[in-house]
Amino acid sequence: MKTNTLTVSQVNTYLKGLIEDDVIMSSVWVKGEISNFKHHSSGHMYMTLKDSDSVLKAVMFKGNTFKLRFMPEDGMVVLAHGRISVYEQGGQYQLYIDGLEPDGVGALYIAYEQLKNRLEAEGYFSLEHKKEIPQLPKKIAVVTSPTGAAVRDIINVISRRYPLCDICVYPALVQGSGAAQDIARAISEVNKIGDCDTIICGRGGGSLEDLWAFNEEVVAKAIYNSDIPVISAVGHETDYTIADFVADLRAPTPSAAAELAVISVLDLKGYISGVQRRINFGCKKMIDDKIMALKSVCGKISVQGVLNGYNQKRMYIDSVLKDIEGLVSEKLLGLRENLSVSLAKLHALSPIAVMARGYAAIFKDEKIVKSIDDINEGDNIKLYLKDGALYTNVTKKERKQWQKK
Amino acid sequence: MAEKVTFENALKRLEEIAEKLENPAEELDNAVKLYEEGVKLAAICNKYIDEAEQKITILSKSGEQNFVPEEE
């Protein structure tokens, strides 16, 4: 056995020592394209960095991955920071990454795009899910830092525009570590207490890093799950955060959010007097219509019309009366004639008239005598003539046949 | 009743009255009543606006407390 023989382990350990002692290799930036990326269930990330000629194995332990603001993908060109060391069991040197940034565009930008695309695909931005902002809120929750310009701007604008609603500030960290979780907690607290009609959630302007909490998934989810409508108000006009896309309404600035949250009392008073005008006009029109209707009815039943109708009836009645009169007098005339004829007939039949012609009526004991059988010879009888009576005695009876039977 | 009606309800009722009075089928007797109600409601609404007292609070561990934002 040769005295300078080394074991495999000794070689690897020796090399490991050499490399780790090297100043350059202990802290190095490596630029390369990611391939064979694997996010292991243990939480560690394994990948190969490569350029056109060569490859370098790399690993990022779980503890360092938490700092990542984007998810590495195959084909992505990155700047990886770390140290080179030897994995003795595998006999391989590799890069132990402690920081990873996309080359070219920033890590935050990539993270933003990735989360935005994912949440959009999951329906977090869908218009159907967006709630209407109440027009006349009784209480507004402001989720933001209790110090700084944003909270002051929001309160000033709401107080000036619409002092009818109360404001409650739900203090939250809006930047730095834990900010996103704190914002999410405040939003769910507003929902839990539940006495507010609208949530304004935001902060004033700042760098992309300052606004970063509003690009995190936990905030997006809290806004999405809020039963109370959320108006986002992050940074300036040009800043678009994930929170803006999820919110029910996006305001370009905190002041603008306050303007969107409430109507101004001037507008409200104008609106109320508008409604009053509608009421006045409606009433006036109704009364005018009734007067018009009344007038048109009055026109139809004019006094002249009534008089004309009356006169016509009157004339008709007169003519009927005249007809009746005529008929009656005609009838009377007829009756009178009939009467004189009847009287004449009656006259003709009167015994007086008969006596005038020379006949006599014979009475015995005040009874008319119609036959000789009623009389005996020697009886006293009375003869009535036209101008008096004769008292006589019957001396003889003689039967005669005056007419054939 | 006039004491208890909220601003929101007063405004809603006022809008309803305007709608009813714009309908020519409304009875005149009823219209007069509605008009009187409308005048009262508009006054209530304006009173609410003019006499509004806004509460500005901050949520703390011990509940809501009055809040005045810092001036710059």
Side-chain angles (χ1 to χ4, degrees), chain A residues 249-289:
Chain A
L249 184 65
R250 184 241 174 195
T253 63
S255 299
E259 301 231 356
L260 292 170
V262 292
I263 185 175
S264 97
V265 287
L266 285 180
D267 292 345
L268 192 58
K269 282 200 162 186
Y271 176 73
I272 290 169
S273 42
V275 177
Q276 269 181 295
R277 272 197 298 279
R278 277 169 61 201
I279 288 173
N280 290 343
F281 186 77
C283 270
K284 189 181 175 301
K285 189 169 178 305
M286 195 175 292
I287 291 166
D288 286 351
D289 287 352

Side-chain angles (χ1 to χ4, degrees), chain B residues 8-63:
Chain B
E8 210 170 7
N9 288 342
L11 188 58
K12 206 180 283 170
R13 178 70 185 144
L14 193 65
E15 286 165 335
E16 262 173 34
I17 288 171
E19 236 160 72
K20 281 190 177 173
L21 290 177
E22 281 166 345
N23 173 11
E26 195 63 45
E27 291 291 326
L28 194 59
D29 278 358
N30 202 26
V32 172
K33 275 180 209 145
L34 287 173
Y35 178 79
E36 283 172 357
E37 195 187 343
V39 170
K40 273 181 205 153
L41 286 170
I44 289 170
C45 286
N46 284 320
K47 195 162 177 259
Y48 263 110
I49 294 173
D50 295 334
E51 295 176 4
E53 275 179 31
Q54 190 168 40
K55 271 189 287 182
I56 300 170
T57 53
I58 186 162
L59 193 74
S60 69
K61 287 203 177 81
S62 54

Side-chain angles (χ1 to χ4, degrees), chain A residues 82 90 128 148 167 192 396:
Chain A
E128 296 86 66
I167 304 168
K192 209 166 77 189
K396 192 182 173 191

Side-chain angles (χ1 to χ4, degrees), chain A residues 331-342:
Chain A
K331 202 83 181 175
L332 277 177
L333 217 61
L335 282 175
R336 207 167 280 161
E337 268 171 24
N338 284 351
L339 191 60
S340 52
V341 169
S342 301

Side-chain angles (χ1 to χ4, degrees), chain A residues 69 115 119 180-181 212-221 242-243:
Chain A
R69 281 172 160 165
L115 183 61
L119 293 181
Q181 286 72 20
W212 192 251
F214 293 91
N215 285 322
E216 292 206 32
E217 190 167 351
V218 62
V219 172
K221 287 195 166 161
I242 301 286

